[in-house]
Each structure stands twice: as structure tokens, then as C-alpha cells.
Amino acid sequence: MPSTTIPHRRRRAVESDEEEEDGVASGTATPTSQRSTGSKRVRLNLKGDASPVAESPVLPDGFRARPDESVGEEVLDARGAMEKHQPGSIVRVKLTNFVTYTSAEFFPGPSLNMVIGPNGTGKSTLVCAICLGLGWTPAHLGRAKDAAEFVKHGSQEATIEIELAADPERSRKNPVIRRSIKREGNKSHFSINGKPSNMKGVLELARSFSIQIDNLCQFLPQDKVVEFAAMTPVELLHSTQRAAAPEEMLGWHSLLKTYRGNQKTMQAQYAGDQETLANLESRQQMQRADVERLQERAKIQQRVKMLEVARPFAKYREARKRHQEAKQKRKDAVAALKELENEVEPSLRAVNAKQRYREQIEVVVKERKRAVERADVAAEDLTTKMRNMQDKIQEFEQEKQAENNRAKENKKEIATTEHVIMRLRRQMEEQPNEFNVSSYNEQIREKAHSLREIKEKAEALQRTQEDLTNRGRERNALIMQARKDLESLESQAGQQAQKLRQASRDTAQAWGWIQQNQDKFEKPVFGPPIVECSVKDLKYVDAIESIFQSNDFLAFTVQTRGDFKLLQEQLYGRMKLAEINIRTVLGGLDQFRPPVSEQDMGRYGFEGWALDFVTGPEPVLAMLCGECRLHQTGIALRDITEQQYEVLTQSPISSWVTGKNTYQITRRREYGAGAASTRVRDVRKARVWTNQPVDLRAKSNLQENIEGWGEEVSAFQKQTQQAKEKVAQLRLEYVELENEKTNLEQEKAAKQKALGEFKALPTKLAQQEEKQATLQHGLTQVRQRLLQITEKEDALTMEKGQVALDYVNAVQILRELHNDLLQAEVMLLEGASELEILTERNRAVKDMLEAKRKEVDDVAKDSEKVQAMAKRLLDECKEIMASDDEDQREFLSSMPEGQTTDELEAEIDSEKARLELMYEGNSGAIKEFEHRQKKIDQLKQKVADVERHLAEIEEGINDLRQKWEPELDRLVKKISDAFSYSFKQINCAGEVGIHKDEDFDQWSIQIQVKFRESESLSILDSHRQSGGERAVSTIFYLMALQSLARAPFRVVDEINQGMDPRNERMVHSRMVNIACQEHTSQYFLITPKLLHGLQYDRRMRVMCIASGEFMPKEYRELDFGRCVDVMRGVKAGA
């Protein structure tokens, strides 16, 4: 068999646990082969003897077998039988630092490629490289999670280079896909024909060749064999269609499943809608008569409402009619007035002429009145101007008076300043006595020091007094508490509280705080069982206390998580207490039930449960049940018998106290149903809930403490009184010293003031002399200002004289204008008198005209009033017509044009009378009926739509099924024929069919096989057939797809594992026959072992993966062709 294997592996250290394959396995299709021109070397011939022959050719990336030319046997050369690769098949795979390979290159053939080699040499690594190199993820291999895990140990980057056969219709050049995987960051970089790309681009290229790495029918790696065997028949149908059916068939199947799902949903919806529709129609028919009567009433109500709305329209029609009549009446009155004016016009002409004369005189009077007014204003302005000038002259006089007064004041101040200067000069001649400032300061400091000492002594005495008072209060509090304790020793509660203090002072202190602050909690907080609980019958007290641990007696019980947090923060955080145990009870006591009934309890020999003998608050008892299982612990004063003990060990009861012992059973179910251990302890003597006599020693200690603390209080009071007396004496001394100090300070201040004033005399003298000079200068300025004021006053007096002359002239003009006005007014009176005489003569005519004019005005007012009313009613009608109620607008439009208001009101009354004769009924029935009718209409439309959609879906299903089902039947028939033929070759039977279901998502591939003559065909599953039989069936099914597959290559990894030699030989023969046919897809079979004497075909290629410690570091030194020749020679010699 011509082998085309070129393995090589670097020698590995003995200590290494890791395979590091650096070899290259390739086929005979190495692109270039250059014969070495090196020296000759010894080579074994086929007979096994050594003879010098020419060195075998060494190829750059691998070796191929070359027969010795001196041997006359026929040697099979795979290269000669090689046919062209199908588009998309794998031409070359090159790996660098990938998994176990440092550098390797594979050249698979276009038909069957058998990759063989021992386990661990890296056969499956080729499968991994094909998957990852073509853009798929490690998830399809079932191995590592990340691509970075495929980088060779010790390397940072791995590369995969895959050359695919080109499709001549698209390109002559084979596409080369390269993927670089970086360990750091788990990143990958892709390129196609040297140009950068991405995973999406690589996947698109692979899928364009119908490569389906994610289809187990095409690509079955070693770790996915079990997954393929576990595929359901439904999944197998899907994968088969992907592998062998045209692409559109998968789409048809998917659409059929979608259509069927929609059809089922719509059918269920259709049935529900039909049922709902029938129910609604039945209810609608039952209510129809009542609703029709109510609808009639509603129509009448609506008509009454419409008629009432129509009232403004009737009123508007009447108002419009009255307005038209008023307009006509006004037109007639105006015409009559015009006719009357024409008749009396000659009689009124003289009156009109006299009227015009009077009006002209009135104009003249008005003009002359305005002239008089203007002259009067001018004279008044001159009067005001003279008055203002006189006021200004008066102001000058006042300024002169003020300046004279100021001059007098300056003269007085100058005299006063001279007296002050003379006095200061005399004082400067009388120098004050000197005094010792340091002596005064020293005396004052001594007094202040003495005062401080007295104050410090008094404060110390006061602190001592306060300390004694506080200590006295503390002793009094201790005395009161001791007296209470002394009294409580005589009571049961007091004894329990004393026991609590003896057991834990922290717990006792915490209980005291809780009792004083119950209002801060959400629910009541209960104290320890030692004070809250007791035993009902003291003869059981030893047995009861034996159940408890010491911390159980001291635990506080809270009923909410908020109270737990608050109490925890207070006791641990603020009070810093250590021996505290807080337990939370959220449920009641009723949640704790005994494990057996009362009858069974008596049969076991118990007198009751521990809970029956303990009394206390329910939350505290619930806490003890949860912690100590009081409700599950049996109590008996007498010991139990052996028979009762045996029965108890098999009962639900796990703890009890009988006689002098306590029993605790621990059951371990993981060791079996009967596995249990029992712990027995002695019942200890009760110390908590006992009625013991008063502790005389404690009583004596309390009495001694009270007496001692009383003596201390008396001593504190005596010391306090002494301190008070000392403080009073010190206060007297302090006041006396403070008075002496004050006198010294005052005497010192007086002498310092006198000395300071003497030293300030020169400065004061200079200030007074400067003031005197300033006053003299001011007196000079006063004289100058008086001169300026006098000059201004004289000028204003001259101006005032000129204004007086102008005033005289203005008064003369005013007098003349006034005379002209009187003359015009006389003429106006004369004209008015004459007009009145003429008017009186024509009064009858005028009254007639006035009456007619008044009639015209009245008619006009009536017309305007009617018009305003009509306009208001028109606006109201427009507003009504502008509403969104179409029925209302239509009703109003259909109203009779000539209908009056009275007729309308009569119709309204008539309709209301009809309404009163009809029964009102249920007002909501119509709405309910109409709402139901809407739902019925909607449901009818919906049902019709669903029927139409169902018909469309049914038509779509039928159309698609007519296309898809025949194609699927033909495809499965071909697969079944090939599958059956393969089984016939091994004297077995098998067939492939389709399970057809109403639901297209339940259609499936049904494989039936028979491996024995006595059997009938049975469905292939894991229950009927063995693992080897399932493997044979799987490989035959995959081979049946070979001639039908659209995929350019298939990969099957170690599918022959678990087959017996007979089945493996038959399967291999069948595989060779199918995979080596012309124009079939490329096939990769990965296996670690093969039987001897298997069938061989020229089109198949065997790639042997060789590795191990005996492989040379430089794999090119290994000549596989020579190895084959040596093997032939060995066999021939044998």
C-alpha cells in the first residue's frame, strides 16, 4: 500500500508529561520535489539484503514513498491516480505552534483520506485546525472553551493556514485562509489570500462552498461522536437536510413549521372565539325585547332633548320676523318725516336765517372771549413775575440778615477764644504734682493676685462640695437599690432577678435598660427565660433544666428584625456589653407541633412534652421550642423499658428525659435508613427555677452595705457644710480686696488724667489760636458776601420796575378787549331774542317735526333692540350647530321653517307625555346591549379574518408541502437505498424512512436495522442495539449521505472504535467503495488503529502521524519511502 506519510517529532525529555509534536504529515501531492544530489547510502532491497542505492529524494515539507527502480514489482503511486479536488475541498493545511505541533503541513487527497497513528500523536489536532481555521468556534469541537487554549505550550501565537480548492466558475486561484491566534487576550486575526479579513468574512467564504462545520452529518469530531449518537430523530432530519438537501428545502421546512404553529394557534383562537360569539349572541337575543323598548324610550328622550335644544331657533325665527317688520316701519317713518320737512320748509326759512345770524354772533363772542382770556393770562403772568421778583428781593434781605447774624456770632466767638487763650496760658504756668505710677501698678497687681488666689480656693472648695454631693447621691442610690434588693429577696421574682445578676451582670444590666425603654421597640421585648418563665410542677424541674444550655436561660427574645437591630446596636455598640444573647422569633407558638399524638406519647411511656411543664410568654416559649425543641422532647419521671427504648429509636422522637438520664438520638440517613447514634447524659440538679430559702449571706451583705453607705453619706454631708463655711469666708475677703483695688485704680486714673491734661495744654493753646485766626478770616468773607448781595438786590429792583410798567399796559389792553366782548354779547342777546320770537310764531310746526323725529327715533330703537335680540339668538344657534353631534345638527336642519315657539313647546309637552307613559327600566341595559353588540360585530369580523387567514395558511401549507414532501421523500429514498445496500454487504438489513406527523416540527428520520436473521427490523436506539452496532449504523448513514452531500468534505473522527473486526472490515470496505468513487466529496477518517489486509483504492490517501522519542529533531532526515522499502524487504525475507 503506497503510504504518503511524513511524520516527524522532536525528541522529548523523559520527565516531560506533555506531547510536543513538531512533525509534518502530508500526502504524496507535495507541490515540488527536488532530488538530492548527495552521496550514496546503503539501502535494503525488498529481499532484506543491503545494497548501495541512490539516496531517496528529500522534500522540503515531507516525503513520499519511492520504489527501488531495480525491483520489477508494480508499485502503486497515489500521485498518478490523483484526480482534481472538488471546489471547497481542502488542498493543504499548514500549522505553526498549534496544540502539539511546532510546524506541520498536510496535503490531503481529493477522495478518502485516512489519518492514522497511535493515540496522542495529534490526529484530532488536524480536525481542530480545520474547524478553527475555517472560522468556527471551539464549541463545535467539544473541547476547550477559548481558541487561545489551542496555542502550543510555551508559545504566544499559533497560526492555521488552509488552502481550499477554487470554484472555476468564480476564480482560478485557490483561496488561502489564515488565522492567527494570540494567547494573550484570546484574540484572533484572519486573512484571505493575504488580505486582512474577519471571522464573518471567513464564514461567508466557507458557507459559499456549502461547508457546514456545525453540522454533525458533515463534521463529526471525536468529542462529538456521542452527541451525534444522542441526536433525536427530529434533529437528525434537520442535519440531514442541511447536509444533503438543496438549501431551499430547509427554508420550506422552517416555513411549514411556522405555518403549522400559527395554524394551531389560530385554530385554538378560532374555537374560543366561536364559543364566545355563540354565548354573546344568545345573551343578546334574550335581552333584545327589553332593549328595543328602552331604545324607543331613549329615542323619545333624545327627541325631547333635541326639541328643547331647538328653542333658540324658533325664538330666532320670530325675532328675525319682528326685526324685518321693525325695519319696514322705520323706513316708513323716515319717509313721512322727510315729506313733512318739505311741507314746512318755507315757514322755517326766516327762523333758519335768524338762527344762522345768531350762530355767527356766537362765533364772534367765542373769539373775543378767547382774546380776553389771553390778555388776562398775560397780565396774570406779569403779576406772577413781579411777585417772584419781590420774593427774590426778600430772599436777598434775608441773606443779608443771615450774614449780619453770622458776623455777630464770629465776633462773639473771637472774644470767647481770646478768653480761652488767656486761661490756657495761665494753666500752663501752674504745673501739677508728680506721682509714682509703678507704685500704684504694683499695689494693684498685689490686690489682683490676692483676688485670684481667693477665687481659686473658692472654686476648689466648690468642686469638692459638688464631688461630695455627687458621691452622696450615688451612695443614696445604692442604698435605695440595696433596700429594694433586700425586699425582693423575699419574693420569687426578686430571687430570679438575683439569680440573673449572679449568672451574668451584663445580661442583668441589659434587662434593666430594656424594662425602662420598652416604648422604643416595635413589639414587646422579653427578658431571659430565667426571669420570664417558670416550671409548673417542681418535681419536673430537674428534667426540664437538663434540656437547656446555660446561654438558653440568658437569651433575650425579640419579635421583629428591626427590634433585633436596635437592641444589638444599644447593647453591643453603646453599652459595650459582652455576655449578651439575642434571639428573634417571627412566628407564633402554634407553628410548633409534637411529632406524635397524645395516645402514642402515652404508649411510649411519657407523661408529657417539655413544653407542657413550662409556663411563660408565648414568644419566649416559641424561642425555646425553636432552640431546645421543648415541643418534641418527651418527659417522664420513671425510666423507660428496653422495649420502649427500641420503639423510640424507630419513632419520629429524637430526644427525651426519663428517670435520671437524658437521651439524644442522631440519625444519619447517608449511612442508611437504620443508621443512628444515641447520646445519654445524666440529669443535672436544677439551679434556676427552684424555690430556695432566702440567701442569708446575701441579705447580711446587703444590710452591711446599707449601713456603710449611710455612714459615708453622713461624712459627706459634714464635709460639705465645712466647705460651704470656708467659701462664705473667702467671699467676704474677696469683696474687701476688690474694693481696695477699685479705690487704687480710681486714684491712679485721676492723677493720670490731671497729668495728661497738663501735657495737652500747648496743643490746646495752638488749636485755640488757630481757631481765632480762622474766625477773623471768616468775618472778612462775611463783609464781602454782604456787598455782593446788595449789588444783586439793586439790579433786581430795577428789573421789577420795568415789569410793573409792562403790567400797566397789559391791564389797558385787557380793558379794551373786555369792552369789545360786552358789545358782542349784547348783539348775541338781541339775535337770540329775535330768534325766540320767530320760533314761538312757528312752534306748532316745530312740535309736529319733533314728534315725527321722536317717532323715527323710537322706531329705530325698537328695530335695534329686536336686531340685538335676533343677533344674540343667532349666535346661540350657531354655537349649537357648531357642536360635534351630527344627529343634533341633522335634526335641527329638518325642523319646519315656519314653526313658532308655541308650536314647539306644544310638541315638547306632547313628547314628554308619551315618555311618562313608558316604563323607565334599567338605564344601563342599552349600554350593555350596545357594548355586547360591538363585541359580537368585532368577534364576527375577527372570526371571518381568522377563517380567511386559516384558509391562506392551509393553502400555503399545501403549496409548500407539495414542493417539500416529494423532494424529501426522494432524498430519504436515496439515503435508504444506499443505507440498505451497505447493510446487505455485511449480511444485515437496514432502511431509512420518514416519520410524518400532523405537526411538521415532529417529522423525523426513522432508522431501522437488523443485525441477526432471527430478528425483524427495529428502530435504532441505545436500548436495542449495542455500541458497536450503533457505530456501524452511524457510519453507514454518514456514507449514505456521501453521494448526496452538498458539502465539499466530511470529517469523521474515531467512528470505528467499539466495532468488532468483522464489522470494522466490512465498514471499511464499504467506505472505500463509496468515498473513492469519482466526483464524490472529500472524506477524512481519523482512527488510531486499523486492521491488516484492508481494502485499498488508488484514489484514497493514507496519512500516518508518527511521533515519539525516537523521531529525529530534523524530520527531513527521515525518508519514509526508504522505510516502506525496508518493510517490504523484511516481509519478503520472512
Side-chain angles (χ1 to χ4, degrees):
M1 178 184 292
S3 173
T4 59
T5 318
I6 311 174
H8 99 88
R9 180 178 179 88
R10 187 172 56 196
R11 189 180 303 275
R12 52 186 173 182
V14 177
E15 296 81 12
S16 174
D17 294 330
E18 195 175 312
E19 293 182 353
E20 298 182 353
E21 294 185 349
D22 304 328
V24 174
S26 73
T28 58
T30 306
T32 58
S33 176
Q34 297 177 353
R35 185 178 301 275
S36 172
T37 57
S39 59
K40 305 287 184 177
R41 59 181 176 181
V42 178
R43 179 177 179 181
L44 291 177
N45 57 24
L46 292 179
K47 295 181 179 181
D49 56 345
S51 62
V53 294
E55 184 182 5
S56 298
V58 180
L59 301 179
D61 294 312
F63 303 91
R64 62 181 176 86
R66 294 179 58 84
D68 191 347
E69 296 176 359
S70 62
V71 179
E73 300 181 36
E74 179 184 1
V75 179
L76 300 178
D77 189 351
R79 174 178 291 184
M82 184 180 68
E83 62 183 81
K84 188 177 180 181
H85 284 75
Q86 297 295 323
S89 61
I90 298 174
V91 176
R92 178 174 59 88
V93 178
K94 183 175 181 181
L95 308 177
T96 305
N97 294 328
F98 185 78
V99 190
T100 58
Y101 290 114
T102 300
S103 176
E105 192 165 11
F106 299 83
F107 294 87
S111 296
L112 176 62
N113 293 272
M114 300 191 66
V115 183
I116 62 175
N119 287 327
T121 54
K123 302 182 301 300
S124 297
T125 302
L126 175 62
V127 178
C128 298
I130 293 172
C131 173
L132 299 180
L134 293 177
W136 271 267
T137 63
H140 298 91
L141 298 171
R143 291 194 172 191
K145 180 181 178 182
D146 298 323
E149 298 182 37
F150 290 87
V151 178
K152 188 176 183 294
H153 180 69
S155 301
Q156 296 300 317
E157 182 179 3
T159 58
I160 305 169
E161 187 173 290
I162 298 178
E163 180 179 350
L164 301 178
D167 185 355
E169 296 181 0
R170 292 188 292 178
S171 174
R172 292 185 177 182
K173 184 179 180 181
N174 290 345
V176 178
I177 301 169
R178 180 183 177 90
R179 179 175 185 174
S180 299
I181 305 172
K182 295 186 181 294
R183 183 186 299 275
E184 183 177 357
N186 189 32
K187 296 180 179 179
S188 295
H189 300 284
F190 293 87
S191 67
I192 300 176
N193 294 329
K195 296 180 180 180
S197 184
N198 52 30
M199 180 180 290
K200 183 179 178 181
V202 172
L203 286 173
E204 289 177 355
L205 175 63
R207 286 168 177 157
S208 69
F209 288 107
S210 297
I211 297 173
Q212 301 173 7
I213 299 297
D214 53 348
N215 189 349
L216 296 181
C217 290
Q218 176 186 344
F219 192 84
L220 188 62
Q222 178 179 348
D223 295 302
K224 292 284 186 175
V225 172
V226 176
E227 183 177 331
F228 181 85
M231 286 176 63
T232 65
V234 174
E235 295 171 341
L236 185 59
L237 174 61
H238 180 76
S239 297
T240 300
Q241 288 186 96
R242 288 189 62 201
E247 292 183 6
E248 61 270 14
M249 283 187 66
L250 266 179
W252 293 343
H253 191 191
S254 178
L255 277 176
L256 284 170
K257 289 189 284 186
T258 303
Y259 284 165
R260 177 54 183 161
N262 294 340
Q263 186 184 43
K264 288 169 65 178
T265 302
M266 294 182 73
Q267 284 173 345
Q269 181 182 354
Y270 178 76
D273 290 345
Q274 285 279 39
E275 183 179 355
T276 303
L277 181 60
N279 185 22
L280 290 175
E281 287 179 338
S282 175
R283 292 169 60 189
Q284 197 78 339
Q285 191 61 33
M286 292 171 60
Q287 201 178 14
R288 187 175 301 278
D290 293 338
V291 169
E292 287 176 353
R293 185 176 64 255
L294 290 173
Q295 286 176 340
E296 179 66 22
R297 177 180 173 81
K299 288 180 181 178
I300 296 174
Q301 288 177 332
Q302 182 66 16
R303 180 169 177 80
V304 170
K305 181 180 176 182
M306 295 288 189
L307 290 171
E308 289 176 345
V309 170
R311 279 174 175 150
F313 291 86
K315 292 179 181 179
Y316 168 69
R317 287 192 292 270
E318 292 180 352
R320 185 177 62 180
K321 183 177 180 182
R322 289 199 303 272
H323 174 57
Q324 291 173 351
E325 292 173 352
K327 280 175 64 177
Q328 185 61 39
K329 190 176 180 181
R330 180 182 179 184
K331 188 183 295 184
D332 295 342
V334 170
L337 175 61
K338 190 69 175 174
E339 184 179 354
L340 181 60
E341 286 177 345
N342 292 332
E343 290 176 359
V344 300
E345 193 273 334
S347 302
L348 297 176
R349 190 175 300 147
V351 177
N352 293 336
K354 186 56 70 176
Q355 178 70 26
R356 287 194 296 272
Y357 172 75
R358 191 192 69 172
E359 290 173 354
Q360 292 173 357
I361 296 299
E362 285 178 346
V363 172
V364 174
V365 170
K366 290 179 180 178
E367 288 293 332
R368 291 184 179 181
K369 279 184 178 180
R370 286 195 289 270
V372 169
E373 289 172 356
R374 287 194 295 270
D376 187 48
V377 169
E380 186 62 30
D381 290 342
L382 291 174
T383 302
T384 302
K385 190 174 182 180
M386 284 192 299
R387 189 180 301 111
N388 291 338
M389 288 181 174
Q390 183 60 39
D391 293 341
K392 191 65 175 175
I393 292 170
Q394 188 64 33
E395 289 177 3
F396 286 147
E397 289 293 331
Q398 291 174 356
E399 289 179 5
K400 286 166 66 176
Q401 184 63 37
E403 292 295 337
N404 288 328
N405 293 336
R406 193 174 291 111
K408 291 178 182 179
E409 291 293 331
N410 282 355
K411 290 177 181 179
K412 287 180 181 180
E413 287 188 15
I414 289 171
T416 302
T417 304
E418 288 178 351
H419 290 301
V420 171
I421 291 171
M422 292 174 65
R423 180 172 56 78
L424 289 174
R425 286 174 179 170
R426 286 196 302 271
Q427 287 178 355
M428 290 176 65
E429 294 175 357
E430 298 174 359
Q431 187 171 358
N433 298 327
E434 294 289 339
F435 76 101
N436 190 351
V437 178
S438 301
S439 175
Y440 276 99
N441 290 339
E442 183 63 28
Q443 293 179 45
I444 292 170
R445 280 196 296 272
E446 289 176 359
K447 300 295 182 184
H449 181 68
S450 299
L451 288 171
R452 283 195 299 273
E453 289 180 348
I454 292 171
K455 186 176 182 181
E456 289 173 357
K457 289 178 181 179
E459 290 176 351
L461 287 171
Q462 288 175 348
R463 287 195 296 271
T464 302
Q465 182 181 348
E466 292 175 359
D467 182 55
L468 291 171
T469 302
N470 292 333
R471 291 169 67 186
R473 289 174 181 166
E474 291 176 0
R475 296 300 184 272
N476 285 329
L478 291 173
I479 290 170
M480 293 177 65
Q481 183 62 40
R483 286 174 179 167
K484 290 180 180 178
D485 294 343
L486 194 60
E487 294 174 0
S488 66
L489 281 176
E490 304 297 333
S491 65
Q492 178 66 26
Q495 290 181 15
Q496 295 305 112
Q498 180 64 21
K499 290 178 182 178
L500 177 61
R501 284 191 291 275
Q502 292 174 354
S504 173
R505 289 191 176 277
D506 285 357
T507 305
Q509 184 180 350
W511 177 228
W513 183 89
I514 291 170
Q515 288 176 307
Q516 297 173 4
N517 296 275
Q518 282 286 358
D519 58 328
K520 295 183 179 179
F521 298 103
E522 299 174 9
K523 290 185 178 182
V525 175
F526 296 96
I530 196 172
V531 296
E532 295 281 11
C533 299
S534 62
V535 177
K536 297 176 182 179
D537 192 343
L538 290 179
K539 65 183 180 182
Y540 295 100
V541 69
D542 293 342
I544 296 300
E545 288 195 17
S546 296
I547 302 172
F548 292 88
Q549 301 295 329
S550 57
N551 58 347
D552 295 328
F553 291 107
L554 303 176
F556 294 102
T557 303
V558 297
Q559 302 183 69
T560 66
R561 293 186 176 88
D563 289 346
F564 177 87
K565 184 177 180 182
L566 173 62
L567 190 58
Q568 187 181 46
E569 291 176 352
Q570 175 64 31
L571 301 184
Y572 291 117
R574 299 185 182 90
M575 299 177 69
K576 307 297 183 185
L577 301 179
E579 298 177 1
I580 299 297
N581 191 350
I582 307 172
R583 295 175 182 173
T584 305
V585 174
L586 300 179
L589 187 59
D590 54 355
Q591 64 180 321
F592 298 101
R593 301 292 184 186
V596 298
S597 64
E598 291 186 4
Q599 293 80 1
D600 291 338
M601 179 185 68
R603 184 166 58 86
Y604 295 138
F606 295 138
E607 299 168 21
W609 304 106
L611 180 61
D612 299 334
F613 302 104
V614 180
T615 182
E618 279 198 10
V620 179
L621 295 178
M623 180 273 291
L624 293 175
C625 287
E627 297 292 333
C628 305
R629 299 190 296 177
L630 297 185
H631 63 296
Q632 295 178 343
T633 303
I635 302 294
L637 295 179
R638 292 178 292 106
D639 208 346
I640 60 175
T641 65
E642 288 295 330
Q643 292 81 2
Q644 289 174 330
Y645 174 79
E646 292 298 329
V647 173
L648 281 171
T649 57
Q650 303 301 321
S651 71
I653 302 173
S654 59
S655 62
W656 65 86
V657 182
T658 56
K660 301 297 182 181
N661 298 316
T662 64
Y663 297 85
Q664 180 72 39
I665 294 180
T666 303
R667 296 181 174 88
R668 302 292 298 273
R669 299 189 182 279
E670 61 267 25
Y671 298 128
S677 61
T678 305
R679 184 176 65 175
V680 183
R681 293 179 299 169
D682 295 335
V683 173
R684 58 179 182 270
K685 194 68 177 175
R687 295 180 293 107
V688 176
W689 291 316
T690 58
N691 282 333
Q692 297 178 349
V694 176
D695 189 345
L696 297 178
R697 183 177 178 183
K699 182 177 180 181
S700 176
N701 289 338
L702 288 173
Q703 290 173 343
E704 290 176 1
N705 288 339
I706 291 170
E707 184 178 352
W709 290 333
E711 292 175 356
E712 289 182 7
V713 170
S714 300
F716 293 156
Q717 290 175 348
K718 184 176 179 181
Q719 293 174 11
T720 302
Q721 185 61 34
Q722 293 174 356
K724 285 182 179 179
E725 293 173 356
K726 289 181 180 179
V727 169
Q729 180 63 32
L730 289 172
R731 283 178 180 169
L732 293 174
E733 294 177 6
Y734 186 86
V735 172
E736 184 179 353
L737 279 172
E738 193 171 26
N739 290 336
E740 292 176 2
K741 177 175 172 288
T742 301
N743 293 335
L744 284 171
E745 289 175 344
Q746 290 175 352
E747 184 179 347
K748 174 190 171 186
K751 290 185 177 182
Q752 281 182 331
K753 182 178 178 183
L755 181 61
E757 289 178 351
F758 177 77
K759 291 180 178 179
L761 286 176
T763 302
K764 290 182 178 180
L765 179 61
Q767 290 175 349
Q768 291 297 322
E769 290 175 346
E770 184 178 356
K771 180 179 178 183
Q772 184 181 28
T774 301
L775 290 172
Q776 290 289 353
H777 179 68
L779 187 60
T780 303
Q781 289 182 337
V782 167
R783 294 192 186 100
Q784 292 177 354
R785 285 197 295 274
L786 280 172
L787 181 59
Q788 292 173 357
I789 292 170
T790 302
E791 292 176 351
K792 290 180 180 178
E793 184 180 6
D794 294 342
L796 189 59
T797 302
M798 294 296 293
E799 187 177 352
K800 179 184 176 185
Q802 183 61 44
V803 172
L805 294 175
D806 294 339
Y807 176 72
V808 172
N809 294 332
V811 170
Q812 182 62 34
I813 294 171
L814 178 61
R815 186 181 293 111
E816 293 174 356
L817 290 173
H818 197 269
N819 292 332
D820 293 341
L821 176 60
L822 290 175
Q823 183 180 0
E825 287 178 344
V826 170
M827 294 174 67
L828 179 60
L829 289 173
E830 292 175 351
S833 177
E834 293 174 357
L835 177 61
E836 186 177 355
I837 293 169
L838 290 174
T839 302
E840 185 63 28
R841 293 174 184 172
N842 294 279
R843 183 169 301 279
V845 176
K846 186 175 180 182
D847 289 343
M848 190 184 301
L849 283 173
E850 289 298 328
K852 184 57 70 176
R853 288 192 183 102
K854 186 175 183 305
E855 181 183 351
V856 171
D857 292 341
D858 292 341
V859 171
K861 289 178 181 179
D862 290 341
S863 177
E864 290 172 358
K865 184 177 180 180
V866 173
Q867 183 182 11
M869 181 183 296
K871 185 176 181 182
R872 178 176 58 78
L873 290 169
L874 178 61
D875 293 339
E876 188 175 350
C877 294
K878 287 180 178 179
E879 185 177 352
I880 293 172
M881 293 299 289
S883 68
D884 296 333
D885 192 342
E886 183 66 30
D887 295 338
Q888 177 177 292
R889 292 200 301 271
E890 184 177 352
F891 177 81
L892 294 174
S893 301
S894 64
M895 291 289 292
E897 184 66 29
Q899 188 179 37
T900 64
T901 304
D902 294 337
E903 293 172 349
L904 179 62
E905 291 297 333
E907 187 174 356
I908 291 173
D909 293 339
S910 174
E911 294 295 334
K912 285 183 177 180
R914 288 181 61 197
L915 193 62
E916 290 175 356
L917 294 175
M918 297 185 70
Y919 174 65
E920 183 174 359
N922 181 10
S923 59
I926 295 177
K927 288 185 178 180
E928 181 182 351
F929 184 84
E930 292 175 348
H931 179 67
R932 190 184 300 115
Q933 187 62 43
K934 284 183 180 179
K935 291 182 67 175
I936 289 172
D937 295 341
Q938 292 172 356
L939 272 177
K940 285 182 177 179
Q941 181 62 40
K942 186 178 179 182
V943 167
D945 293 342
V946 171
E947 289 176 347
R948 187 177 68 257
H949 287 315
L950 284 173
E952 293 173 356
I953 291 174
E954 184 68 27
E955 183 180 358
I957 289 175
N958 292 334
D959 292 345
L960 274 178
R961 186 168 182 172
Q962 289 174 5
K963 292 189 292 185
W964 175 69
E965 187 175 6
E967 291 291 334
L968 182 63
D969 289 339
R970 282 192 289 272
L971 173 66
V972 175
K973 177 70 168 53
K974 292 178 182 178
I975 295 172
S976 181
D977 292 344
F979 187 75
S980 299
Y981 181 79
S982 296
F983 266 85
K984 282 182 181 178
Q985 303 307 306
I986 62 173
N987 297 321
C988 298
E991 65 180 30
V992 179
I994 305 173
H995 168 70
K996 300 181 180 182
D997 194 272
E998 184 179 359
D999 295 334
F1000 292 99
D1001 55 0
Q1002 297 301 316
W1003 283 45
S1004 60
I1005 290 290
Q1006 198 171 59
I1007 301 177
Q1008 298 186 77
V1009 295
K1010 182 179 76 169
F1011 286 92
R1012 297 165 188 84
E1013 284 292 336
S1014 59
E1015 295 178 349
S1016 59
L1017 285 171
S1018 60
I1019 296 176
L1020 179 68
D1021 58 29
S1022 59
H1023 302 291
R1024 293 188 178 90
Q1025 289 82 23
S1026 66
E1029 291 171 344
R1030 292 197 303 274
V1032 170
S1033 302
T1034 300
I1035 192 64
F1036 278 173
Y1037 186 81
L1038 293 177
M1039 287 191 297
L1041 296 176
Q1042 180 72 9
S1043 60
L1044 304 173
R1046 294 182 292 108
F1049 64 85
R1050 293 176 179 278
V1051 175
V1052 179
D1053 192 355
E1054 298 191 13
I1055 192 65
N1056 58 336
Q1057 299 303 301
M1059 296 184 188
D1060 58 37
R1062 175 179 173 275
N1063 287 336
E1064 184 176 353
R1065 194 175 298 278
M1066 289 188 295
V1067 166
H1068 180 268
S1069 176
R1070 182 64 181 150
M1071 184 184 298
V1072 170
N1073 291 335
I1074 292 175
C1076 292
Q1077 294 177 3
E1078 291 189 13
H1079 308 300
T1080 60
S1081 60
Q1082 193 178 36
Y1083 209 103
F1084 289 87
L1085 175 62
I1086 316 296
T1087 180
K1089 56 92 178 178
L1090 284 175
L1091 300 174
H1092 296 289
L1094 294 176
Q1095 181 179 346
Y1096 174 74
D1097 189 278
R1098 287 177 175 273
R1099 293 187 180 87
M1100 65 186 292
R1101 180 167 299 178
V1102 180
M1103 294 186 283
C1104 298
I1105 309 292
S1107 64
E1109 58 182 336
F1110 299 106
M1111 295 297 295
K1113 292 183 179 180
E1114 178 53 55
Y1115 67 86
R1116 290 179 177 83
E1117 297 177 0
L1118 185 64
D1119 188 344
F1120 266 85
R1122 186 181 173 213
C1123 291
V1124 172
D1125 291 341
V1126 170
M1127 191 64 192
R1128 286 175 176 166
V1130 171
K1131 286 185 176 181

